[in-house]
Amino acid sequence: MHAIRVVLADDEPVIRAGVRAILAADPDIDVVAEAADGRELVDAVLAHRPDVALVDIRMPGLDGLAAAAEVRRTAPGTAVLIMTSFGEDAYVARALGDGAAGFLLKTGDPREFPLGVRAAAEGGAYLSPPVAARVIRGLAGDRLSRSAAARDQVAALTDREREVLALVGEGLSNAGIAARLHLAEGSVKTYVSTILGKLGVPNRVRAAVIAHEAGLAGGR
């Protein structure tokens, strides 16, 4: 297995140095480039084609969220992880809505950085626990109508697609789903892409939410 290649973007040199040191402690992660603003990030991603872009929200010029959306458009093979000191729900919603693979708080446990990078590189998703708690609370209201809508959405899926979606809801990566269902990893990737299209959602996080609301995952 090759090292997970990461481009790191933050306008604060001290923050970049700290995060890079955390990631450098993991022998399977290689920070191949750094960027101090959103435009530099996009250029670095196009130049290096990393597995993961780790992106700060608050950057001059092109901000992190706008840059992340551009990365998703121009380099879809690069997963985007958002990091910030700010935990406002609006940032979370916009980042995930634009297809980010996860959201990390700089003030959280440093061990979350390699965990998030690994999850994103494997085709999964990662939410810092405080962020996940807010997302869950936000979904708690209007549960019945959400569940009904989710069941309508998954009705369009085949039996195999529902099986794959249920495992996405459990947080499994493509490799984990392939092992569980005895499928080729490439086949799982195709299934996930088809599922996202049928559900009309931009990323695995949103698909996982639908899996839980529809009762396919989470023991409901």
Side-chain angles (χ1 to χ4, degrees):
M1 293 292 291
H2 73 280
I4 299 170
R5 303 172 73 250
V6 176
V7 168
L8 170 62
D10 194 295
D11 62 325
E12 294 287 346
V14 173
I15 298 295
R16 289 202 310 274
V19 174
R20 182 170 195 140
I22 292 169
L23 296 179
D26 190 315
D28 295 327
I29 297 176
D30 182 17
V31 178
V32 297
E34 296 182 16
D37 60 46
R39 181 49 55 194
E40 286 184 11
L41 165 69
V42 174
D43 292 343
V45 167
L46 294 178
H48 295 276
R49 299 290 174 171
D51 301 296
V52 178
L54 188 54
V55 185
D56 181 38
I57 284 182
R58 298 287 185 94
M59 293 191 293
L62 188 68
D63 70 29
L65 292 181
E70 188 165 340
V71 166
R72 296 297 299 143
R73 289 194 300 271
T74 58
T78 296
V80 175
L81 274 175
I82 301 296
M83 61 176 181
T84 185
S85 299
F86 306 91
E88 291 89 344
D89 293 348
Y91 288 144
V92 178
R94 181 178 164 192
L96 298 180
D98 285 342
F103 205 100
L104 297 169
L105 295 181
K106 293 180 187 177
T107 53
D109 188 333
R111 291 173 295 183
E112 291 180 19
F113 284 91
L115 289 174
V117 166
R118 285 178 180 278
E122 292 173 0
Y126 187 89
L127 289 176
S128 181
V131 177
R134 282 198 302 277
V135 171
I136 291 169
R137 285 197 299 270
L139 294 172
D142 200 21
R143 185 179 300 275
L144 290 178
S145 61
R146 287 181 183 274
S147 295
R151 287 194 295 272
D152 287 343
Q153 285 178 282
V154 302
L157 304 181
T158 65
D159 289 344
R160 176 62 87 182
E161 288 165 353
R162 282 194 288 272
E163 285 183 310
V164 172
L165 177 60
L167 297 178
V168 169
E170 292 180 16
L172 271 66
S173 65
N174 288 348
I177 295 171
R180 181 77 65 86
L181 297 181
H182 307 290
L183 296 170
E185 190 170 344
S187 297
V188 173
K189 185 176 181 180
T190 299
Y191 275 122
V192 171
S193 179
T194 300
I195 290 166
L196 296 183
K198 286 186 176 182
L199 296 180
V201 296
N203 55 48
R204 296 171 76 102
V205 174
R206 298 281 289 276
V209 169
I210 290 174
H212 281 267
E213 292 298 331
L216 296 181
R220 294 184 55 178

